[in-house]
Amino acid sequence: MSRRAPAKPAGSGEPQAPDADQAVLEELRQAPPQQDDDGQPVWPAADPSRPVGKGNPPRGRRSQSHKPRATHMEVETRIAEAQLWIAQRLPLAQIREKAAQNWGITNIKTISRYLALARQRMVEELISDRRRHQAEQIFALNDCARRAMDAGQFNAAVGAFRVIAEIGGLLRAPIKPPEAKS
């Protein structure tokens, strides 16, 4: 059995190294697909008819619902799907339902690992592609401002243009001066 160094928790705020990222992926591939009522992982059950003794460990039999370890592509697809669910701001209970339906995983800890990795990748993508994200937001706000002006909602259009200026770095100070404290 190979021993790995413990990986940093995915939600620690620090970017993980690529080898730590691989360790998390490997851990997700080896996670059990289900859990019991207490949240403990359920592995294929041992055969109770065989006594446990020296040189005679219990041998588990694969259940009918046993799925083989997830491939690299399946893990990447699950992470991308988790990113979509996070972007859609789905409630955690609904995400767990979808994970059980789509992936066959009911283990909350495994689902949480996928979500943490998806969040981490979303942050890394936002940091690395910041200019592209800014351009997308400015384009969307321009469209919003045009539609607001067409509808006669000029306050909304001015607000959209103000946010565009903030994103573009043209507006640094608040428009209204801070109120005096009395």
Side-chain angles (χ1 to χ4, degrees), residues 142-154:
N142 261 331
D143 186 47
C144 179
R146 278 192 207 101
R147 284 187 277 130
M149 286 191 298
D150 291 343
Q153 298 176 350
F154 298 108

Side-chain angles (χ1 to χ4, degrees), residues 83 121-130 132-133:
Q83 286 177 323
R121 287 199 180 171
M122 290 171 81
V123 169
E124 289 170 359
E125 188 177 303
L126 179 64
I127 291 169
S128 65
D129 296 342
R130 190 168 184 82
R132 182 177 58 87
H133 284 286

Side-chain angles (χ1 to χ4, degrees), residues 35-91:
Q35 65 185 9
D36 61 8
D37 294 335
D38 297 327
Q40 299 299 319
V42 175
W43 299 98
D47 185 0
S49 65
R50 293 178 42 104
V52 178
K54 186 175 182 179
N56 189 16
R59 294 197 178 119
R61 296 179 190 242
R62 287 196 174 156
S63 64
Q64 297 295 336
S65 64
H66 174 74
K67 293 184 178 173
R69 190 172 116 167
T71 65
H72 181 73
M73 191 64 173
E74 287 173 332
V75 169
E76 293 298 323
T77 304
R78 290 174 182 176
I79 291 169
E81 203 168 358
Q83 286 177 323
L84 175 66
W85 296 337
I86 291 168
Q88 291 173 338
R89 302 188 56 80
L90 294 179

Side-chain angles (χ1 to χ4, degrees), residues 102-162:
N102 298 354
W103 308 338
I105 297 175
T106 58
N107 189 327
I108 294 170
K109 194 169 185 178
T110 304
I111 296 169
S112 296
R113 286 182 184 148
Y114 276 113
L115 291 173
L117 195 56
R119 286 185 193 103
Q120 177 189 353
R121 287 199 180 171
M122 290 171 81
V123 169
E124 289 170 359
E125 188 177 303
L126 179 64
I127 291 169
S128 65
D129 296 342
R130 190 168 184 82
R131 293 205 183 274
R132 182 177 58 87
H133 284 286
Q134 284 177 333
E136 288 173 358
Q137 298 304 318
I138 288 172
F139 182 79
L141 283 167
N142 261 331
D143 186 47
C144 179
R146 278 192 207 101
R147 284 187 277 130
M149 286 191 298
D150 291 343
Q153 298 176 350
F154 298 108
N155 285 340
V158 169
F161 284 125
R162 180 177 183 274

